[in-house]
């Protein structure tokens, strides 16, 4: 399970290498935005058959609507849009805002933001603790996967798990390593393993400078903020 790849190909490739073989891959949105390789990241996600939902940056690329974005994020959307082909923008536009999958008898729901506001609402760890049980019950789900905050968590509640795998391409929990989660479903038992992976931040930062992305977006990758 990944989320918030944000055009960071080096981080995505390290995560895929670390994950090894998997039966199914899910992305909780924001394949693009912020980083220098939107096209390559989208291609990889499509090629590997990821089940992905739409994030707010994917939505901004497709619609041009950057309301609520800070100026650096807006600039990154403008540059990412320029780096993407029309067919790739169309593909992003086809991403669903939510997904419901049956995995080995476990009902899995995926949203970038929240079940109530799939694209824009932030569910931080404290809120997740408070709402997990209600969401699991109302969706009749055994596993809910969210993204958007770039802060990883695993909440186990009555009825199942609510998780956020953190961000592959722009972690914000103070740890600069790419964040993702492995989920194993056996019988009706769900097991979640949070993993962190080093990647070549220098390579990404220099590519970011080359395509004209704001310096602050490169700097934050080093500190994971
Ligand atoms: Zn994001």
């Amino acid at each position: 399970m990944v989320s918030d790849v944000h055009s960071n190909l080096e981080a995505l490739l390290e995560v895929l290498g670390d994950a090894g073989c998997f039966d199914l891959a899910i992305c909780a949105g924001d394949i693009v935005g912020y980083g220098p390789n939107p096209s390559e990241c989208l291609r990889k996600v499509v090629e590997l058959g990821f089940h992905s939902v739409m994030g707010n940056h994917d939505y901004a690329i497709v619609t041009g609507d950057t309301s609520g974005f800070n100026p650096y994020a807006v600039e990154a959307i403008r540059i990412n849009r320029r780096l993407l082909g029309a067919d790739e923008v169309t593909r992003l536009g086809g991403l669903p805002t939510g997904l419901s999958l049956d995995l080995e008898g476990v009902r899995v729901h995926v949203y970038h933001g929240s079940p109530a506001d799939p694209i824009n609402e932030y569910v931080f760890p404290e809120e997740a603790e408070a709402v997990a049980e209600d969401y699991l019950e109302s969706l009749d789900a055994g596993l809910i996967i969210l993204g958007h905050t770039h802060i990883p968590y695993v909440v186990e509640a009555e009825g199942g798990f609510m998780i956020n795998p953190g961000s592959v391409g722009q972690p914000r929990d103070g740890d600069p390593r790419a964040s993702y989660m492995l989920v194993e479903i056996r019988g009706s038992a769900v097991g979640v393993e949070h993993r962190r992976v080093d990647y070549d931040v220098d390579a990404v930062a220099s590519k970011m400078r080359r395509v004209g992305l704001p310096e602050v977006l490169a700097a934050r990758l080093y500190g994971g903020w």
Side-chain angles (χ1 to χ4, degrees):
M1 311 296 142
V2 305
S3 190
D4 297 272
V5 174
H6 283 302
S7 307
N8 187 332
L9 183 65
E10 279 69 14
L12 177 60
L13 293 178
E14 290 294 344
V15 161
L16 292 170
D18 184 73
C21 295
F22 45 80
D23 297 321
L24 183 115
I26 291 175
C27 175
D30 278 1
I31 298 164
V32 300
Y34 290 133
N37 288 114
S39 185
E40 294 77 1
C41 288
L42 179 61
R43 208 175 309 145
K44 200 76 203 164
V45 164
V46 170
E47 174 193 314
L48 294 175
F50 272 69
H51 294 260
S52 188
V53 295
M54 184 180 286
N56 56 320
H57 289 251
D58 307 317
Y59 180 80
I61 287 283
V62 174
T63 62
D65 178 1
T66 53
S67 46
F69 281 44
N70 67 52
Y72 306 115
V74 172
E75 180 64 0
I77 289 295
R78 194 183 64 76
I79 290 170
N80 269 236
R81 175 66 189 81
R82 198 185 70 211
L83 294 169
L84 286 161
D87 54 328
E88 292 170 327
V89 175
T90 303
R91 193 177 272 280
L92 285 172
L95 294 174
T97 54
L99 272 176
S100 174
L101 306 163
D102 186 294
L103 301 185
E104 313 271 328
V106 174
R107 175 61 50 190
V108 180
H109 279 253
V110 189
Y111 307 93
H112 184 62
S114 77
D117 181 353
I119 291 187
N120 286 310
E121 187 183 7
Y122 290 92
V123 181
F124 287 100
E126 319 76 63
E127 284 121 37
E129 293 277 354
V131 299
E133 196 175 324
D134 281 353
Y135 276 145
L136 287 162
E137 193 187 336
S138 62
L139 296 169
D140 196 22
L143 175 64
I144 298 172
I145 303 167
L146 306 179
H148 198 29
T149 61
H150 300 205
I151 309 280
Y153 57 75
V154 177
V155 174
E156 187 173 6
E158 182 75 34
F161 287 87
M162 189 153 101
I163 68 172
N164 184 323
S167 173
V168 169
Q170 194 200 73
R172 291 181 193 159
D173 61 341
D175 182 340
R177 295 175 299 167
S179 177
Y180 80 103
M181 287 180 187
L182 291 170
V183 173
E184 186 173 17
I185 298 176
R186 195 166 282 171
S188 59
V190 177
V192 182
E193 182 188 351
H194 182 203
R195 296 188 63 80
R196 301 303 289 246
V197 192
D198 279 312
Y199 71 94
D200 190 347
V201 179
D202 285 335
V204 180
S206 64
K207 274 198 272 184
M208 290 172 77
R209 292 182 190 113
R210 221 175 304 143
V211 298
L213 284 157
E215 180 61 30
V216 64
L217 296 180
R220 71 188 300 177
L221 295 180
Y222 287 91
W225 50 274

